[in-house]
Amino acid sequence: MPVYHLFFSPCSSTYDTTYAFCRAISEHAPIEVNLTDRETKVPEMPEGSVAVVAAPVYGGRIPSVMARKLERAKMKGVKAVTFVVYGGRAYEDALIEINDLCEKAGAEILASAATLAAHVFLPDLERGRPDQKDFEEIRDFGRRVCEKYASGRFTPVTVPGNRPYQEGYKAGFVPETDTALCRRCGVCIAVCPTGAINPKDPSQTDINLCINCMRCAASCQTGAKAVPAKAKAMVTAYLSGFLGKRKADEFYL
Ligand SMILES: Cc1cc2nc3c(=O)[nH]c(=O)nc-3n(C[C@H](O)[C@H](O)[C@H](O)COP(=O)(O)O)c2cc1C
Ligand code: SF4
Ligand code: SF4
């Protein structure tokens, strides 16, 4: 069975987590589809394929741009294993949303997971994750998913979340650019999943398009892009309330 790895992962933890899962279910490398890239769409996949569909959680939902791509997808005859990766606050309606979108596209949900990664805005929250324990659990989940697939008994998968979903994430700031550090290389413009950065001036970002994914900052070689100090202080104060006990990964089969 071909395994497709469909992921949205601006800061790479969703990718790292779910690539490990893909390798646990197949000895072959998966067919990678990086939906973070602006122009990349969900491809047509042959019936009988397994699609590992993975998104980070933004405000308890999946990123709106990933949702739009899944809305246009055709996944008839595909078995989907869905993942949402979150930063230790909560994932609310993200898993039920990604499952609904895959099912509307024609896929059957084989299994689902909500797993932890360090929070992009406060890396002390779930610092170091995904770690060795996460990867062991992900490999074990892979074994159980393979058993389910081989058994041919595709029992329905029920995941937490509510319908209607809570309101989607809206950017409250845009990354700021230190113009003294910026070399105008254009990398941030090219990697932005929504085309929010002005192609003529990388220091200008459209707040109505920006989804705060921070791919621009993660990709900038000179460290010129960052969360503005005021927004950082507010987000840190809010998220600090969630520091503490390690949250457990959740697996649904
Ligand atoms: C815009 C934005 C919103 C986020 N919202 C949530 C959230 O609602 N709950 C949570 O636990 N983590 C939240 N996070 C943290 C991410 O889900 C987490 O850091 C994830 O690992 C990022 O994935 P990536 O490394 O693949 O980009 C948010 C991060 C960003 C950038
Ligand atoms: S990636 Fe960094 S250096 Fe390059 S244009 Fe963007 S902000 Fe400037
Ligand atoms: S400008 Fe906004 S949407 Fe574009 S990469 Fe940066 S944070 Fe993401």
Side-chain angles (χ1 to χ4, degrees):
M1 65 177 180
V3 175
Y4 285 78
H5 185 201
L6 275 53
F7 58 93
F8 187 90
S9 186
C11 296
S12 81
S13 62
T14 305
Y15 175 82
D16 294 343
T17 303
T18 51
Y19 180 77
F21 175 80
C22 292
R23 294 319 302 256
I25 60 167
S26 172
E27 57 182 316
H28 302 292
I31 300 160
E32 303 270 40
V33 182
N34 188 351
L35 296 172
T36 334
D37 294 337
R38 207 180 315 157
E39 304 301 336
T40 304
K41 302 181 178 86
V42 176
E44 290 219 13
M45 293 167 275
E47 291 205 11
S49 306
V50 170
V52 177
V53 188
V57 174
Y58 287 1
R61 300 280 301 275
I62 67 166
S64 50
V65 54
M66 166 89 169
R68 298 295 85 77
K69 289 184 184 197
L70 287 173
E71 274 167 10
R72 289 192 290 269
K74 291 190 174 71
M75 299 174 72
K76 193 168 167 282
V78 170
K79 301 268 185 282
V81 181
T82 53
F83 271 80
V84 293
V85 178
Y86 70 111
R89 190 193 62 77
Y91 68 88
E92 281 113 348
D93 302 331
L95 196 53
I96 200 168
E97 180 185 18
I98 201 169
N99 282 8
D100 286 349
L101 287 163
C102 289
E103 282 179 341
K104 275 187 198 137
E108 196 174 345
I109 308 297
L110 185 59
S112 299
T115 67
L116 277 299
H119 200 295
V120 169
F121 293 138
L122 183 65
D124 275 345
L125 193 48
E126 303 295 349
R127 180 172 283 287
R129 300 187 72 182
D131 58 18
Q132 212 182 324
K133 186 170 188 296
D134 293 309
F135 287 122
E136 275 166 23
E137 289 181 20
I138 285 162
R139 280 193 292 272
D140 179 61
F141 177 53
R143 277 190 289 276
R144 289 187 287 138
V145 170
C146 288
E147 278 166 20
K148 182 173 178 182
Y149 185 88
S151 76
R153 283 191 302 278
F154 299 123
T155 45
V157 178
T158 308
V159 299
N162 295 300
R163 298 186 196 94
Y165 316 131
Q166 69 178 39
E167 210 173 304
Y169 182 85
K170 205 169 171 326
F173 66 89
V174 292
E176 67 183 2
T177 311
D178 183 336
T179 49
L181 291 177
C182 176
R183 289 198 217 120
R184 292 183 159 258
C185 67
V187 167
C188 56
I189 297 163
V191 301
C192 175
T194 63
I197 304 173
N198 186 331
K200 294 198 183 103
D201 180 356
S203 71
Q204 298 297 314
T205 302
D206 184 341
I207 193 164
N208 296 310
L209 292 177
C210 180
I211 56 166
N212 287 170
C213 71
M214 302 312 289
R215 195 184 196 196
C216 51
S219 309
C220 176
Q221 294 293 307
T222 66
K225 292 237 179 235
V227 178
K230 203 172 150 201
K232 193 169 174 56
M234 279 171 65
V235 171
T236 302
Y238 170 65
L239 288 176
S240 295
F242 297 94
L243 290 167
K245 235 177 89 194
R246 177 192 168 98
K247 277 199 167 65
D249 298 325
E250 295 170 24
F251 301 102
Y252 300 92
L253 279 141

